[in-house]
Amino acid sequence: MNLPNLLTMLRFGCIPVYGIVFFSDSPYNMLYALLVLALAGLTDVIDGYLARTFDWVTELGSMLDPLADKLMMLAVILSLVIDGRVSWWATGLMVLREVGMIVTSVFFVSQGKKTVPAMFWGKATTVLMYLALVALLLRWPHAEWLLWGVLVVAFGTSCVYLQRFRALNVK
């Protein structure tokens, strides 16, 4: 367990905190939800930077980091659909993609396959998704259209990851 992995664990801890503050009766609940989401995003950036800069990349971190990102995004999108800020269609596609990526990763790792480390497009997709979720939280006009655009990029990124995974594991 190193510092980047501890930051990833902190991001897992942000998930229930986000849900609690989002659904609280506080007049500042959206501000608090944004702060928790910002903290999750910041820990993602910092843990990735530390892992790469100091060569602290671990197999555990390579699996937990994207899982923490995906679970955080799922928590946010589910809260937004429950609150009526985003359509069930967009939510369904996002859930399908995120759960599909999680299940696929777990399946292949359990089969002893090598995992694909984070790539530029994966990180860019994560940043874009965070921006779309913030826009939805703030009720920006056309925020759901931004989410739809990010979903297109996300599915494209998933295809790139699957190609890389296949290339990495073909013997």
Side-chain angles (χ1 to χ4, degrees):
M1 185 63 66
N2 58 24
L3 183 56
N5 290 349
L6 287 173
L7 289 170
T8 297
M9 298 309 289
L10 175 62
R11 200 158 59 257
F12 278 108
C14 287
I15 296 167
V17 173
Y18 168 84
I20 290 167
V21 299
F22 182 91
F23 291 109
S24 74
D25 289 333
S26 168
Y28 302 108
N29 66 329
M30 286 305 119
L31 173 63
Y32 297 148
L34 281 168
L35 289 174
V36 173
L37 187 59
L39 176 63
L42 185 62
T43 61
D44 187 27
V45 170
I46 293 171
D47 80 52
Y49 172 78
L50 291 173
R52 285 184 302 279
T53 301
F54 297 105
D55 196 28
W56 291 341
V57 176
T58 65
E59 188 70 27
L60 178 66
S62 294
M63 290 185 308
L64 291 181
D65 181 71
L67 180 61
D69 292 339
K70 289 172 185 353
L71 291 176
M72 185 71 204
M73 285 183 208
L74 286 172
V76 175
I77 197 73
L78 290 174
S79 69
L80 292 169
V81 77
I82 290 168
D83 196 47
R85 295 176 190 229
V86 67
S87 72
W88 280 101
W89 285 106
T91 301
L93 282 175
M94 185 174 170
V95 169
L96 176 70
R97 189 246 180 193
E98 300 298 334
V99 170
M101 294 292 286
I102 292 168
V103 170
T104 301
S105 294
V106 168
F107 173 76
F108 286 125
V109 166
S110 72
Q111 300 298 309
K113 303 289 184 179
K114 296 177 185 172
T115 58
V116 177
M119 300 181 307
F120 168 79
W121 285 109
K123 289 296 180 183
T125 300
T126 300
V127 169
L128 291 172
M129 190 63 74
Y130 272 108
L131 290 174
L133 295 175
V134 167
L136 286 159
L137 277 168
L138 295 174
R139 296 184 187 267
W140 287 353
H142 311 294
E144 189 164 351
W145 285 108
L146 175 60
L147 177 63
W148 281 104
V150 173
L151 285 170
V152 169
V153 171
F155 276 95
T157 300
S158 296
C159 291
V160 171
Y161 269 99
L162 289 173
Q163 289 172 339
R164 293 269 175 104
F165 176 82
R166 184 171 170 230
L168 187 63
N169 286 286
V170 170
K171 294 181 181 185

